[in-house]
Amino acid sequence: MPTPLHLFGRRPFGRWLACAVLAALMATAASSAPPPQSRPRVVVIALQGAVAPVTAEYVTRGIRYANQSGATAVILELSTPGGLDTSMRKIIQAILASKAPVFGYAYPSGARAASAGFYILMSCDAAAMAPGTNTGAAHPVLLGGPQPGKIEAQKIQNDAAAYIRTLAGGRGHNVKLALSAVLQSKSFTDQEALHGGLINYIAASPRQLLRDLNGQPIHRMNGQVQTFDLAHARFVPYRMSLRERVLDMDPDLAFALLAIGALLVYIEFTHPGVIVPGVAGIIMIAVSLFALSLLPLNWAAAGLLLLAFILFILEAKFPSHGVLAIGGVVSMVIGAVFLVDTSVPALQVHWSVALGVALPIAGITVFLMRLVLRARANKVNTGAQGMVGALAIVRTALAPEGTVRIHGEIWRARSAVPAVPGTQVRVLAMQGLLLEVEPVAQNPVSASAVQGQRP
C-alpha cells in the first residue's frame, strides 16, 4: 500500500514536500486545541466513605473553592454507603447554592451511592454512574436511642419522601422511581437507573462524562437551562486538608487509638519517669477524641469503657479467678460497639474490632497491675527504709556512740546498751547519718558472716 511519501514520488524534492505538508497538518491540529491556561477548569471532589461531618466540610469547601476560582463545573465522585442526615443536607445545600454546575458521578466501577449518597446524586445538576455501580436504598433510619412511635416514624418517612420529590423533580428525574428508593429501600444498577430515568449518563471515566455533557443542556434548580463547553476541560483535583484527613478516621481505628492511648497512659502511671508511653498515649487519646467528637456519641457507652479499665485493675488487686476481668472485657466490647450513637454500619465500631482490642488490653492491664502490687509488697532495700531492721557489726565500742559496719560501709551508731567491737547489732532507726541500734548477740562474730544480712 503506498504511503503518503510515495504519493509525492521517490525523489528528494517529493519527500521534502510531503514532510512539509504533514508538518502543516500537525500544526493546524495543534492550533485547534486551546492552550492549557485558557481551557475550562473542572474541579474534581471525591466523596469516599461515610457521609459524616468531616466529609461534609470537605465537599462544601471544595464547591466553594470551585465557585471562587471561576471553575466551569464540579464533578462530585461518589463512593459511599450513606451516612448522617445532617451532613447529607449540608452537602446538598452547597450543591443547590453552587453557581457552577455540580455533576454527581458514582465512581469508580464497583462503588455505590447508597442511602445518603442517593439523595446527593439526585440533587446534582446532572447524575451519572460508572458501569458496575449501584444506587438507592435510601429509606430513612433513625439514629440510636428509643425507637419512634408510629406517628413519629410516619413523620420522618414523609419528610424524607418530600425531600426526594423536591430533589428528583427539580432535576427532571423519575420521581416515582426515586420515591421507591426511599419508601421501599429499592436499589438500582447503573443500567436500571439510566433506563428508569434516575440518571442522565453512564460513563466509564470522568473524561467520557465530560464528552457526554459537552454542549448538552443542563437544567439548573432555578429553572435556567445552560450549556457548557467541556470538550477540552482540564481536571483540577481538590483534596482533603491534613486536618480533614486526620479527622476523617474510621470509627474502628478511632476506638483502637483511644483504647491503646489509655493503656499507654496507664503504663506511665504505673512506671513513672518513662515519659514516652505517657506522651504517646495522650497524643493518641487527643486524636481519637477529636475524630469521635464529630460523631453522635453514646455517653453511657463511654462510661462502660471507663468501667472496663476499673474492673481490670480490681481483678489484679482482688483476684476473682477471672470474673472481674471477664466483666471488664464484656463492658469494653459493649461500650465500643455502642459508642457511636448511629445505626449506620459504616460509622459504628464492629464487634470483631472491639473484641480484638479488649482482650489484649485486659491481659496487659491485669499483668501490669499485678507487677505493681507485687513490687509494693516487697521490702524496700534502699535508703532509710532499707537500713531499718538490717544487721551490722560493731567496729568501735558503742558507749553510747561508736561506729559499725553495714552493707560494706562504716556508719556512726548509737546504742542505749553498750556494745563491744565484733558484736552484732540491729538498726532501729536512722537520724540523718546516725544509726540507732541495739545489740542482738553477746558473743563476737565474724564481720564477713553477718555483714549486711537481715534476721
Side-chain angles (χ1 to χ4, degrees), residues 2-3 5-16:
T3 63
L5 293 179
H6 290 137
L7 297 177
F8 290 91
R10 298 180 180 274
R11 296 183 180 181
F13 175 77
R15 292 180 180 273
W16 281 107

Side-chain angles (χ1 to χ4, degrees), residues 115-190:
S115 192
F118 177 72
Y119 286 87
I120 296 173
L121 185 64
M122 292 296 99
S123 70
C124 293
D125 294 276
M129 297 173 65
T133 57
N134 64 280
T135 189
H139 191 282
V141 179
L142 190 66
L143 296 178
Q147 292 299 313
K150 182 178 180 181
I151 296 178
E152 185 66 22
Q154 189 69 30
K155 290 170 62 177
I156 296 173
Q157 180 173 288
N158 290 341
D159 178 71
Y163 197 38
I164 199 63
R165 287 200 305 269
T166 299
L167 298 176
R171 298 303 192 188
H173 300 307
N174 187 328
V175 175
K176 184 177 180 180
L177 202 60
L179 270 175
S180 68
V182 174
L183 301 180
Q184 303 171 35
S185 294
K186 286 189 176 181
S187 295
F188 310 97
T189 65
D190 53 307

